[in-house]
Amino acid sequence: MWITFVKNLVKDGSGLAFHDGRPTAYFWVHLVLAIVSFVLGTVIGGIGLRGVRALRRETSSM
């Protein structure tokens, strides 16, 4: 979802993301939000995956 959002942000033709071919504050804020959200989601997903794996190992050793 975030990759698509960034692609659409780069292709924005409404004038919000670019003004005279230069990125605007709108572009930078939304790009940072997308990157931070993607990174946080990946980290939290990794933590959850590690937890599930640890739980499975604990259950199988009983």
Side-chain angles (χ1 to χ4, degrees), residues 10-46:
V10 170
K11 291 190 273 183
D12 178 54
S14 70
L16 287 173
F18 295 96
H19 180 68
D20 293 331
R22 298 162 84 176
T24 62
Y26 176 90
F27 173 83
W28 291 115
V29 166
H30 285 84
L31 181 64
V32 168
L33 287 172
I35 291 170
V36 168
S37 179
F38 181 78
V39 169
L40 285 175
T42 302
V43 169
I44 292 168

Side-chain angles (χ1 to χ4, degrees), residues 1-19:
M1 178 177 141
W2 288 112
I3 306 266
T4 304
F5 178 77
V6 171
K7 286 180 184 178
N8 291 336
L9 184 63
V10 170
K11 291 190 273 183
D12 178 54
S14 70
L16 287 173
F18 295 96
H19 180 68

